Amino acid sequence: MATSGGARTPRPADSDAMRPGVTPLHLMRGLLSADRSHIAADIVAGVTLAALGIPQSLGYARIAGMPVITGLYAMVAPMAMFALLAYSRHLVVGADSAVAAMLAAGLAGRAAAGSPRYVALAGLVALLSGALLLLARLIRLGFLADFLSRSVLIGFLTGVGVQIAAAQLADMLGVHTSGNSVIGRLVATVRALGRTSLPTLAVSLGVIAVVVGLRLLTRRIPGALIAIVGAIIASRLLHLPARGVTVVGPVPRGLPGLHPPALSLHDAAALLPLAGACFVVIVAQSFATSRAYAAKYDETVDENADLVGLGAANIAAAFTGTFVVNGSPTQTQMVDSAGGRSQLAALTTSVVVVFVLLFLTGPLTFLPLAVLATVVFLIGLQLINVSGMRQLFVMRRDEFLIALLTAVTVVFVGVEQGIVLAVVASVIDHVRHTYAPYTAVVVATDEGRFIDVPPTPQARTVEGLVIYRFGATLYYANARRLVDQVDACLAAPDPPRWFCLDCIAISDVDFTAAAALRQIHNELATARARLILTEVLDPVRAELDRYGITQLIGSDAYFATPQDVVHAFRSEAPSSRTPRARADAAAMSSLPGRVKP
């Protein structure tokens, strides 16, 4: 499957995407395609992701109402499972704020947050979500990603970046705020500025100085990792918690167990709508993110193959006591910023988290939340694609509006709503273009050339003949346009004797359009004119046969090329064989892209 940026010739490493079926090699391409020269960078990126993602995942667990340790469990089996099975080189799968918030809202009232019953229900949601993802793979729903255009991706990641950055400001200032929306949290943060914790603000500014300073110096040094390690050391030596700096707190030690979630048909039926909502968010956000990074590096994507990895990751989450996982734009950007270019980075992260769970949960106790918030804030700023939005504004204003609509909806409403609305807007924009497609009449000039001119009632290819180009699929929304333009030709003082529809751009004719062609034939016949067709694709010819159009106009009304039409027209109109007519025929035979008769 090509990237949304347009078709391209696949690189050798990508050529398996063009073959039918999915083999284990295809599924593991994200790992096996690792370039040996980038292995060290992938490992460093994996360690960096572990350092940044561990505290973040603890926060996501709290959002989901789960025990804090389950956030780390999401970085072990689920992340490793996707890394092993993924087709995408860049997408990182783990705990995510969108599905965590959905899970908490969906399970509210069914069990006490953090209780064994709550954990079991969360595992069941993950299991159902994984089953839906695998079912989507079986029926090949990966095509849904084709509705995510490049403009949608730019707007999506920009909106996510704004949302992420805005959500971190309160923790960076050390203030406690409430609010369910981005604007609500921003307003609450501004109102709480007078209560800013100066030690917390100093920690945040210090992290910005370290990360940005090292990034300006060289991108080979993981500034975020250095900032986190340094902050843990400073927190311990300077007793920052006693100075009002909030820290992560105690984290239990040990690996997750392996056991199935409690299976109950009653619970499964009750939680299926919640799992369905999680499925939509997982597909939308994961596909949008994987496509964005594939487009960035000019690579192919295969969402149907990634569906297997996403489904397996959520089933692994269900069996290891954690919650629904998702393709994460934030964690994907963390790896990309650190130089990671394959799933080896995510696999490295899982190994590091296993080591941390066994031996290093103690130091996490002293990690200031402001450090995590600041690092994530800087990552959110990187996701805001100002240059991409500017290019869209200059080059394609309608797609800029779609990107802006996507970004605004993600920020003010939510990620899943933003994606759905953007897809709908993209489809409407496409329908708008096909509703009023490019149309033209091929007309001979005084110099003996043929050019496309607007289809005015007086435009003629040669005297008595109109070759009319229709630049889109013929369907119910634009069939009236064709009828109106034929009527305009017939109303002219010199109506054509032949009206030829050039079908080279018509890939489908629906039932309404077939009725329009019958109407056109009847109107032309009443005016003693003839409807003929040229360059008809084989599938379209089969449709016209089925609709009875061929029987109506006759099999001799089909011509291979416009040149054949001109020659046949002159054969039936001997009076047209003038010097000018011969010049017209010569010009027609030289039309670019046409086969000479």
Side-chain angles (χ1 to χ4, degrees):
M1 191 180 298
T3 63
S4 58
R8 69 175 184 86
T9 301
R11 299 172 182 172
D14 296 339
S15 60
D16 51 25
M18 309 302 291
R19 301 172 191 165
V22 178
T23 69
L25 178 61
H26 294 165
L27 293 174
M28 292 190 291
R29 197 211 66 157
L31 179 63
L32 299 180
S33 62
D35 190 330
R36 290 185 179 182
S37 64
H38 287 119
I39 287 179
D42 284 336
I43 292 175
V44 171
V47 174
T48 303
L49 175 60
L52 300 178
I54 285 174
Q56 187 182 55
S57 295
L58 298 177
Y60 291 157
R62 256 188 287 183
I63 293 174
M66 295 285 286
V68 67
I69 194 64
T70 61
L72 297 189
Y73 294 165
M75 302 179 72
V76 181
M79 184 176 288
M81 187 65 69
F82 183 80
L84 290 172
L85 299 179
Y87 186 92
S88 172
R89 292 171 175 167
H90 305 280
L91 182 64
V92 176
V93 167
D96 177 73
S97 58
V99 293
M102 290 177 60
L103 185 68
L107 295 183
R110 297 183 183 274
S115 66
R117 168 72 173 166
Y118 190 97
V119 173
L121 292 177
L124 184 55
V125 173
L127 183 64
L128 292 172
S129 299
L132 290 175
L133 288 162
L134 293 180
L135 178 62
R137 169 63 187 93
L138 290 176
I139 58 180
R140 296 180 177 272
L141 286 183
F143 74 90
L144 293 174
D146 292 333
F147 293 95
L148 301 174
S149 66
R150 179 71 68 92
S151 55
V152 167
L153 299 178
I154 291 174
F156 168 76
L157 289 181
T158 296
V160 169
V162 172
Q163 187 184 62
I164 290 171
Q168 311 309 313
L169 292 175
D171 285 338
M172 291 173 65
L173 299 173
V175 298
H176 298 286
T177 61
S178 60
N180 296 324
S181 66
V182 173
I183 294 299
R185 289 194 296 269
L186 283 175
V187 171
T189 301
V190 171
R191 289 177 176 174
L193 286 177
R195 302 192 302 273
T196 297
S197 167
L198 294 181
T200 302
L201 178 60
V203 169
S204 300
L205 294 176
V207 172
I208 291 175
V210 171
V211 174
V212 176
L214 289 176
R215 184 180 298 162
L216 293 175
L217 182 63
T218 175
R219 290 185 175 269
R220 295 184 177 181
I221 300 177
L225 179 58
I226 292 174
I228 287 178
V229 173
I232 291 175
I233 296 173
S235 177
R236 180 72 180 271
L237 295 179
L238 301 178
H239 306 288
L240 292 183
R243 300 174 184 271
V245 177
T246 305
V247 295
V248 170
V251 179
R253 177 180 298 179
L255 295 177
L258 186 63
H259 52 80
L263 296 177
S264 164
L265 292 179
H266 174 74
D267 289 336
L271 295 176
L272 189 58
L274 175 59
C278 290
F279 164 79
V280 172
V281 175
I282 292 168
V283 169
Q285 185 164 304
S286 299
F287 285 5
T289 305
S290 65
R291 283 211 157 197
Y293 285 90
K296 179 178 180 179
Y297 293 102
D298 191 28
E299 297 171 356
T300 56
V301 289
D302 188 341
E303 286 85 2
N304 283 316
D306 280 342
L307 281 172
V308 177
L310 289 165
N314 276 282
I315 291 174
F319 277 79
T320 54
T322 185
F323 51 98
V324 179
V325 293
N326 186 15
S328 170
T330 307
Q331 296 187 53
T332 303
Q333 177 62 27
M334 288 177 182
V335 170
D336 187 72
S337 297
R341 298 295 180 266
S342 78
Q343 290 296 336
L344 180 60
L347 200 59
T348 300
T349 299
S350 295
V351 173
V352 172
V353 173
V354 167
F355 183 81
V356 169
L357 284 170
L358 292 175
F359 305 109
L360 295 178
T361 54
L364 289 177
T365 302
F366 301 96
L367 176 64
L369 289 179
V371 176
L372 166 66
T374 304
V375 171
V376 174
F377 172 82
L378 294 174
I379 290 171
L381 293 183
Q382 287 182 298
L383 289 173
I384 301 174
N385 193 342
V386 176
S387 63
M389 295 291 284
R390 185 185 298 114
Q391 288 178 353
L392 284 174
F393 181 81
V394 172
M395 300 178 184
R396 188 83 176 186
R397 199 64 57 86
D398 56 344
E399 293 193 36
F400 167 78
L401 293 176
I402 292 175
L404 183 62
L405 177 64
T406 304
V408 169
T409 305
V410 168
V411 171
F412 291 99
V413 183
V415 172
E416 63 275 21
Q417 293 91 342
I419 289 293
V420 171
L421 186 59
V423 170
V424 172
S426 296
V427 172
I428 291 175
D429 186 58
H430 171 72
V431 170
R432 183 176 66 85
H433 286 294
T434 59
Y435 170 74
Y438 172 81
T439 57
V441 173
V442 179
V443 173
T445 68
D446 293 336
E447 293 80 16
R449 297 184 301 107
F450 276 83
I451 60 173
D452 285 0
V453 300
T456 61
Q458 294 77 25
R460 298 291 181 269
T461 303
V462 296
E463 184 180 351
L465 169 65
V466 171
I467 297 181
Y468 177 85
R469 289 178 177 168
F470 195 81
T473 289
L474 191 57
Y475 69 115
Y476 62 90
N478 59 23
R480 185 72 248 173
R481 179 182 177 87
L482 177 61
V483 173
D484 290 343
Q485 294 190 345
V486 172
D487 289 344
C489 283
L490 292 177
D494 56 338
R497 297 191 297 278
W498 280 22
F499 185 93
C500 174
L501 178 61
D502 189 337
C503 302
I504 187 62
I506 299 177
S507 60
D508 183 55
V509 176
D510 73 358
F511 187 79
T512 302
L517 289 177
R518 281 192 290 269
Q519 178 183 344
I520 290 171
H521 169 269
N522 293 337
E523 291 178 356
L524 288 170
T526 301
R528 297 184 179 181
R530 184 182 182 193
L531 172 64
I532 59 174
L533 308 176
T534 185
E535 297 192 296
V536 180
L537 303 176
D538 289 342
V540 175
R541 173 63 186 268
E543 289 179 333
L544 297 178
D545 292 345
R546 187 167 61 251
Y547 290 139
I549 300 297
T550 300
Q551 182 180 2
L552 184 65
I553 65 177
S555 59
D556 60 343
Y558 290 90
F559 293 87
T561 67
Q563 297 91 323
D564 294 338
V565 174
V566 173
H567 290 191
F569 176 74
R570 290 202 171 93
S571 297
E572 292 195 6
S575 61
S576 67
R577 295 183 178 275
T578 64
R580 171 61 186 274
R582 289 193 293 271
D584 291 347
M588 177 61 75
S589 67
S590 65
L591 278 175
R594 308 295 188 186
V595 179
K596 295 183 180 181

